[in-house]
Each structure stands twice: as structure tokens, then as C-alpha cells.
Amino acid sequence: MSCTKEEIERKRLAAIQKRQSKSSSPSKPKSTSLESFSISQSKIGPIKNFPNTSLNTFHPYSRREQENTVGVGKVVSGTVYLISHERFEVNPSEFCTPLINIFKSIPSRSYDAKSKLWNFSIDDYQELMSKIAPLAPHIVLGAIPAYVLKVLRDPTVNTNNVDLSPIEATLRHKLMPFQEEGIQLTDNLWMDKKFDKNRGMLHYSHYRIKTWQNKIHELLPSVPLMNIVTLTSGKDAQLVADKQTEVVIVSYKITSMHTDLLKSKKFGVVIIDESHYLKSHKAQCTVALGGITRACRRAVLLSGTPALSRPAELYTQLALIEPGFFQSYTEYGKRYCDGKQTTFGWDMSGQSNLTELQVVLQKRFLIRRTKEQVLTKLEGKTRETVLLDRSLLQFSKEDERGLSQMAEAYKATRNSEQQAALITFFSESARAKIPAICKYIRQLLQDESCGKFLVFAHHKNVVDAICMTLDEARVHYICITGSTPSHSRADLVDKFQYADSCRCAVLSITAANSGITLTAANLVLFAELHWNPGILTQAESRAHRLGQVGAVCVRYLIAEGTADDHIWPMLQGKLNVLNNVGLSRDTFEDTTTSHQEPNSGIKQYFSPNPCKKNKNDYIPGTNIRKDSVNNANQTTMGKEQIQIGKEQCSMGKEQIQIEKEQCSIGTEQIEIGNEKFDMNISEKEKSFLDDDDDDELLANIDL
């Protein structure tokens, strides 16, 4: 088909005009991923096209258009969480103008200049989320979980409507005001009329069984003593199964062995003492307790420190109190433990949204009573750090280089390997500190104003060195470690509390940090640290508790250049986490610092390497030497003998004769009648509880 010259010229001019119009208009993006959407400030809706505008007036960087658009290629995410009972905060991943415009439309908006984040009243939560919802998937904010919103909507309990008169009079008349309030808040635990009987199961820890038995018999006289059964072995199973049995006292370990029997009792109340030991939701005893508590009507958990160092330790206890409240451990960990998925599974060692967790605990789970609230007459507690004399540390140049290398290795390793690196560092540091620790105790013994005191240590060689120092000074003391038989511990505690001659208690941090009262002491020494702040604060409370008549001083013996340099700040960091959750008010930041007296030429008197002990020289179950006991009635020195009345003592022959009766020297008899106590101490039973990673690797290390 042929064209005339006029037609060709007309097409040529049209093509030129079309090309000119294209070059003068803004270029369109080649990919839809760079398209933009418009947001009207008056109405938030789905993505809309730009209105028709003149090509001569449109500019791609127009302020009006920029404020109302966001690039689709970037997805703005963020989290929403509570910052108090009444307000929540939004933390977006990046600055986003359309999001800020929505924030400004909320009446309760408030901008925190310090955190540079916006927060709002919880009453405006639904309005804010409804305005943001149409912007998905370009703007996505994680919502506050439904269980948190439900807790906030729950009505406040009116304790004035709770009648306490059905409580047994003996118990009711001994309740303090804060205890009455606690019972009212828990809807009166002991008087639920739906119970056939006030039947309960108690879990005791360590050697507190006598305490539970005595208190139940004292406060609930309507429960016959024969109806209170302690389940310690299979021989007691028949007594537990008896219909007359109303109260069963059982340990965590035995619970997992007799789960079906305990389930069949269908307890009305389960009380779990020292519940912070239930840190792993996978442990056998935790699984067993879960089945038992689900079958009962009430469950009460008791603990002075519910979480010893991190929020992950709380989950098991919360799940026992209200199963199904949290969707799963994983969801709980992602929300409150900064949970991250790694090649080895979920890492739940962190913390996140702690204020929100604190709100949930206070509104739903926790009744917390501090010493300041309960023990109004209890005097204060002060903390001191004592920097040990470096010249007394057992440092050779090789040791010093070795510890420095361990410190560098510890800092350089990854989180999954740091605990293993800390084991060697911590153990070697203990060995190096022994001479300085022993000298400090000798200096303390020379202070006439110093009364009874406690010494906590972790490693076996440190405990042995302290005991040898006290033996050489001929000081009467008690010693409780993991190998001390449980039946001896209560007697040892009584000796320290009531015997004037017993001046010191040498204690294992992990074996004696809870369950005992040692208020006869006003000074608490920590020869070593522990990586868990809850363990340390519990140990401090052995002296600073009900029954203490004076102020308590706590001293931590710290050695520079050892693992103490790294553990001490780690402790404060973990305490900060517990404070943020509302589970602690302790802090090591206000601790005062002093220095050990310098070496004054008496280093030759130290015994840094304790010699091997002969078990026959010691009282069974203790580290007390028989010849270290100061008998108040009679003493024999060499061949000289003192006789008072009918009592006669001969230290040379290690024999005491009292009105024709013979017994071994010391505060405990080895032979009573025809029964003899076994002097061979068994190794400490391996814990059946699953602890945190650091606890598994470091707990109860004996060198």
C-alpha cells in the first residue's frame, strides 16, 4: 500500500509530537514493586491511584504527595506492648510518615522524647489497630496477645466480700493482716465449701518436712496427726492410699515415682514449696506435678525468688497455676524471652516486654510480699565488696598468664560455648583465691567485736581450706555441704543457733542457700560468687529474716584478675532483668567497696593446700574435728586433768565419763544404744531437675 507525500509528512509530525510528550512526562517505574499507594488523612482505606494532575505541575518530590505515600518495596514492621496497666507503646522498625499521621489522630497519644516512641491509652488500642489494619501488608504491627487484653479486662477483686469465718479458728486468729488479704485475693484457699475435705498435698524441699508437719498440726488441730502422712518410699504407699489420710507431704523426686497414686487421691489443694526449682517444663517431676495439679481444685506455689535469673524460668510455674493460659512455651518465649530460633533449637535465654509480663503476673498470678512490708521491725542489710590482697593470691606468673588467657577465651567464645569456658575459669579462680580467703577469716577471728558469722563457698577445695583454717584456730563451727546427710542438718542448724561456743557456719552456696534459718549471725561472707543472683540473695536471707534482732552485713570477697571480674557485672545485669519483671528489688550497684588489710608477714601461717582428712577425726556428717569442741564442763590439756563434780574428761584418750556413761567427744553421738551411724558419706545425689544451661554445667562442681 502506497502513501502520498502528504500522509507521510502528517505521520512524521505525529510521531515527533508523541515523542516530545513522552519525554516531558515523568517516567513510570518498570516494576510494580516500586509503585506507591495513597493514604488519605481523613479516610484510611485500600490502595488507590493518584488523582489526575497536570503534567506541567506534578513533581515527584512534592511534599504533599510524599507525606501520604510509602514505598511498597519496604515493609514497615513493629511491636506493640504494655508499658503500664493503663498504657501501651508502639515500636516500629523505621520511621514511617503515614504511620505517624495515624498516631497523631489518636486522642490519648503521647510522644516520649527520650525513647522517641509513641504511647497511648489502652482504651484506644482497638481504634489504633483498626486504622493500621488496611495498610497491610505494607505496614504490619504485632498485636498485644489476647490473653493480655483479657487480663486487663478482668474486674478488680473486692476483698471486702470474702468471708473468713469458715477458716479454722486456730489458724484464723494467727493470720497477720497481709495474710488475710492474701487469702481474700485467692478467693479464700482453705474454705471452699465445694471441697469434701480440706485435703492437700505438700511438696517439701530438702529437710523442711518437720516444719510442715509441726505447722499443720499446730494450725489445723482438727486434722489428726495420724492423718498426715509423709511419702518417702514405697512402704508409705499404703498409708497414702488410706481414705483417712487427709494430708500427704512428699518431695519432688518421690512425686515422679508415685504419680498415679497421688493422682488417685484427687487432692483439693496442692501446695508446692520452693517452686523455683521447677525451671524446666520437660523435667519428670514437672510433668508429674502437671497431671496432679490439673486434677485438683486449687494449686499454690511458694517461693521467695520465683525466677533466679531470667523470665524463661517462670513459664513452668505459671503453666502449673493456669494450664493453657499461654498458648505454648514457644509463644511465651518469643514474647517475653526474646526467643530466637537457632540451629540447635529455640534460644530462650533473653528477655523482652518485661513490663508487660510484670503486669500479667501482678494481675493474674502473683501475690508478692517484701520484707519491708511484712517484717516492719527487721533492721536493714548492707552489702560490701572486699577486694582481696593481690599479693596473697596463689599466683605464679604462669597462673596469671593462664587466667588472662581464660578470660580472653571466655569473652571470645560464642554464647553456646561460654558456659564451658567459664567452668575452667571459675574453678582456677577459686584455687587462686584460697590463701587470701583464709587470711581474711583469720583476721576476722581476731576481731573481738565480731560475733557469729556465715561463710558461703562453692568449690570443695575452698570449703576444705576454710574448715582447716577454723580447725587450726580451734574455733567451733558447723559445715553443711551437698554431702551432709539430711537427717543431720536440722541438728547442725540448732547447734549454730543456740550453742554459744559455735561461732561459724561454713556453707555450700548451692546446698544451703534456702530452707534454713541462721539468724544468730549478723555477718555473711561469700568466699566465692555464684552466676545466679537469686541463689546469692537467698543465701543472704539465711541471716536476714524473721528472728534477726540486728542489722546484717553481707561481704563479698572479690579477687581482681579472676572470674570475679566477669561474674560480678553479670550478676547485676541479671538482677536488672528480675527487677524489670517485678520479682526483685535487690541491686549490687550500691555496694560499698573496701580492701583487705595488706600482707603483714603472717603468710607463713596459711594452709592453702589442706591435707587429706581422716574421717575418724571428725563428727559424722560434719567437718567438725572432735578435738576442736570446747567442752564447757571440763578440759584436759596434756597430762593435766580437771575434774568438776562427777564429770571427768580426758582429751588425750578422747573419752568423757559422765556418771559411768561414756560417749564420744563432740556434739553428736556416734553410737546410741546398739545403733551405729554410718560414717561414710555418700556422694551427693544427682539432681533430677533440669536446670538452665549454665546451671547444668556449673552447679556443684567439686575440685
Side-chain angles (χ1 to χ4, degrees):
M1 177 179 175
S2 60
C3 295
T4 64
K5 292 182 180 181
E6 291 77 6
E7 290 176 342
I8 293 175
E9 180 63 19
R10 197 165 46 249
K11 290 182 178 180
R12 186 180 71 83
L13 293 174
I16 293 174
Q17 185 178 6
K18 186 177 180 180
R19 184 175 62 183
Q20 289 176 347
S21 64
K22 285 184 177 181
S23 61
S24 62
S25 63
S27 59
K28 295 183 178 180
K30 296 181 180 180
S31 173
T32 58
S33 64
L34 296 179
E35 291 180 356
S36 299
F37 62 90
S38 174
I39 302 174
S40 172
Q41 294 187 24
S42 61
K43 180 180 179 180
I44 306 300
I47 300 176
K48 297 180 179 180
N49 295 326
F50 290 122
N52 293 329
T53 57
S54 172
L55 296 178
N56 296 329
T57 60
F58 177 79
H59 193 279
Y61 298 103
S62 170
R63 177 178 177 83
R64 181 168 174 263
E65 295 297 338
Q66 185 183 14
E67 288 182 350
N68 295 312
T69 61
V70 61
V72 178
K74 286 187 177 181
V75 176
V76 178
S77 61
T79 56
V80 184
Y81 46 84
L82 294 182
I83 57 173
S84 70
H85 288 77
E86 296 83 18
R87 300 189 70 81
F88 68 94
E89 190 172 70
V90 180
N91 185 5
S93 60
E94 60 183 85
F95 180 84
C96 178
T97 301
L99 196 57
I100 301 302
N101 291 336
I102 295 177
F103 290 166
K104 292 180 179 180
S105 69
I106 305 299
S108 64
R109 66 187 180 276
S110 177
Y111 181 73
D112 187 340
K114 185 176 181 180
S115 64
K116 297 182 179 180
L117 297 176
W118 291 81
N119 62 82
F120 312 87
S121 169
I122 193 65
D123 296 331
D124 293 331
Y125 172 75
Q126 295 297 344
E127 179 184 354
L128 175 65
M129 298 305 289
S130 64
K131 288 185 176 181
I132 296 176
L135 307 185
H138 312 289
I139 298 178
V140 180
L141 299 182
I144 296 177
Y147 56 81
V148 176
L149 297 176
K150 183 178 183 301
V151 165
L152 295 176
R153 290 193 298 266
D154 287 344
T156 304
V157 178
N158 185 1
T159 58
N160 296 325
N161 296 332
V162 179
D163 181 18
L164 299 181
S165 60
I167 299 179
E168 195 160 342
T170 308
L171 173 60
R172 187 176 71 251
H173 292 158
K174 289 192 175 183
L175 291 175
M176 298 181 182
F178 72 89
Q179 292 173 323
E180 291 184 0
E181 182 184 356
I183 293 176
Q184 292 166 339
L185 288 174
T186 55
D187 196 19
N188 203 342
L189 173 64
W190 290 105
M191 70 174 191
D192 194 327
K193 297 179 181 178
K194 296 179 181 178
F195 291 173
D196 294 334
K197 291 185 178 180
N198 285 332
R199 178 179 297 164
M201 181 177 80
L202 305 180
H203 283 261
Y204 69 87
S205 61
H206 302 300
Y207 39 91
R208 299 180 63 174
I209 177 172
K210 292 183 179 179
T211 302
W212 279 109
Q213 284 178 327
N214 295 338
K215 283 299 178 182
I216 292 171
H217 184 60
E218 174 189 343
L219 299 175
L220 298 174
S222 63
V223 180
L225 192 59
M226 66 181 65
N227 291 358
I228 303 174
V229 175
T230 302
L231 179 58
T232 58
S233 65
K235 297 179 181 179
D236 305 317
Q238 187 58 42
L239 294 174
V240 174
D242 194 319
K243 293 183 179 180
Q244 298 299 320
T245 299
E246 296 183 66
V247 179
V248 178
I249 305 176
V250 58
S251 69
Y252 290 122
K253 183 176 182 180
I254 300 299
T255 300
S256 60
M257 298 178 179
H258 298 276
T259 306
D260 293 336
L261 171 63
L262 296 173
K263 281 183 179 179
S264 67
K265 292 294 291 183
K266 297 182 179 179
F267 294 105
V269 179
V270 174
I271 302 177
I272 303 175
D273 192 15
E274 303 291 357
S275 60
H276 55 269
Y277 287 113
L278 303 173
K279 292 191 292 184
S280 172
H281 63 286
K282 297 180 181 179
Q284 287 184 341
C285 64
T286 304
V287 175
L289 280 171
I292 295 169
T293 55
R294 280 192 292 270
C296 76
R297 302 184 67 87
R298 304 279 176 147
V300 178
L301 278 63
L302 307 178
S303 176
T305 313
L308 297 175
S309 62
R310 59 189 60 166
E313 298 171 1
L314 282 172
Y315 174 78
T316 298
Q317 300 170 75
L318 302 180
L320 286 174
I321 294 174
E322 188 169 350
F325 180 84
F326 300 102
Q327 185 176 358
S328 66
Y329 175 65
T330 302
E331 293 303 315
Y332 172 88
K334 288 162 61 177
R335 183 73 181 173
Y336 302 115
C337 307
D338 194 23
K340 296 181 177 64
Q341 195 164 20
T342 68
T343 54
F344 302 99
W346 283 95
D347 177 12
M348 304 295 191
S349 60
Q351 61 274 335
S352 54
N353 302 325
L354 297 186
T355 302
E356 180 180 292
L357 178 58
Q358 180 180 358
V359 171
V360 172
L361 293 177
Q362 292 175 346
K363 294 276 288 184
R364 190 78 170 193
F365 294 95
L366 184 66
I367 300 177
R368 184 167 185 261
R369 298 288 183 259
T370 64
K371 289 181 179 178
E372 293 78 11
Q373 295 171 321
V374 177
L375 305 177
T376 56
K377 296 182 179 179
L378 186 65
E379 294 193 35
K381 175 178 65 176
T382 59
R383 287 192 181 98
E384 302 175 4
T385 56
V386 179
L387 297 180
L388 297 175
D389 186 355
R390 190 174 179 82
S391 65
L392 295 172
L393 299 179
Q394 195 168 314
F395 274 168
S396 64
K397 291 184 178 180
E398 291 75 13
D399 292 333
E400 192 166 359
R401 283 195 297 268
L403 288 174
S404 297
Q405 292 172 358
M406 292 176 195
E408 294 300 323
Y410 170 70
K411 291 186 291 185
T413 51
R414 295 174 296 179
N415 290 336
S416 59
E417 300 173 354
Q418 273 194 332
Q419 286 78 22
L422 186 59
I423 290 178
T424 306
F425 194 17
F426 188 47
S427 302
E428 287 300 311
S429 297
R431 180 185 61 81
K433 290 174 62 175
I434 287 177
I437 292 171
C438 292
K439 179 187 175 180
Y440 187 85
I441 292 175
R442 288 181 182 274
Q443 293 171 332
L444 193 64
L445 294 173
Q446 294 172 2
D447 185 358
E448 296 180 357
S449 63
C450 178
K452 294 190 176 188
F453 61 96
L454 314 179
V455 182
F456 282 97
H458 183 71
H459 292 90
K460 185 177 183 298
N461 59 345
V462 179
V463 172
D464 289 343
I466 294 171
C467 290
M468 289 296 295
T469 300
L470 296 171
D471 287 335
E472 292 171 1
R474 303 188 70 82
V475 173
H476 185 194
Y477 66 96
I478 65 167
C479 181
I480 299 177
T481 64
S483 60
T484 304
S486 58
H487 62 79
S488 301
R489 300 188 181 192
D491 293 334
L492 291 174
V493 170
D494 288 341
K495 288 178 178 64
F496 180 82
Q497 287 286 87
Y498 305 114
D500 294 336
S501 60
C502 187
R503 189 174 177 186
C504 178
V506 183
L507 308 168
S508 165
I509 294 178
T510 53
N513 69 83
S514 63
I516 58 176
T517 297
L518 299 168
T519 51
N522 294 97
L523 173 63
V524 182
L525 293 182
F526 285 89
E528 298 183 83
L529 296 178
H530 191 277
W531 55 93
N532 204 318
I535 295 292
L536 295 178
T537 54
Q538 279 191 322
E540 294 176 355
S541 296
R542 297 314 95 210
H544 191 244
R545 60 193 300 106
L546 184 64
Q548 179 58 257
V549 295
V552 174
C553 178
V554 180
R555 294 177 186 168
Y556 289 90
L557 307 185
I558 306 295
E560 293 179 334
T562 67
D564 295 348
D565 293 338
H566 304 274
I567 296 178
W568 187 255
M570 178 199 305
L571 290 171
Q572 183 56 51
K574 290 184 176 182
L575 271 180
N576 290 340
V577 173
L578 297 181
N579 290 336
N580 291 335
V581 185
L583 297 178
S584 175
R585 291 185 180 178
D586 284 300
T587 178
F588 290 160
E589 291 180 346
D590 56 358
T591 304
T592 60
T593 303
S594 61
H595 293 263
Q596 182 181 16
E597 295 180 11
N599 188 6
S600 57
I602 61 171
K603 189 174 179 180
Q604 64 270 22
Y605 298 110
F606 294 165
S607 300
N609 297 316
C611 59
K612 187 176 181 180
K613 296 181 178 180
N614 185 340
K615 65 182 180 181
N616 294 321
D617 294 338
Y618 294 81
I619 297 172
T622 74
N623 283 327
I624 306 174
R625 294 180 64 91
K626 296 176 182 177
D627 57 4
S628 68
V629 179
N630 297 323
N631 190 283
N633 295 322
Q634 184 176 1
T635 304
T636 300
M637 303 298 294
K639 296 181 180 180
E640 183 180 356
Q641 187 174 8
I642 302 174
Q643 183 172 348
I644 304 175
K646 296 180 180 180
E647 298 183 13
Q648 187 177 12
C649 174
S650 175
M651 295 294 288
K653 297 180 180 180
E654 296 187 357
Q655 184 181 22
I656 300 176
Q657 182 175 351
I658 304 175
E659 295 183 352
K660 299 182 181 180
E661 294 182 10
Q662 292 183 343
C663 63
S664 61
I665 292 179
T667 55
E668 291 185 320
Q669 292 182 342
I670 299 177
E671 183 174 351
I672 303 176
N674 296 325
E675 184 179 358
K676 294 185 178 180
F677 288 99
D678 185 8
M679 295 183 66
N680 295 320
I681 300 172
S682 61
E683 293 294 328
K684 184 180 180 184
E685 200 170 70
K686 184 178 180 181
S687 174
F688 56 93
L689 299 175
D690 293 336
D691 294 328
D692 289 339
D693 294 337
D694 50 357
D695 291 341
E696 288 181 356
L697 290 168
L698 301 177
N700 304 323
I701 301 173
D702 286 346
L703 293 183

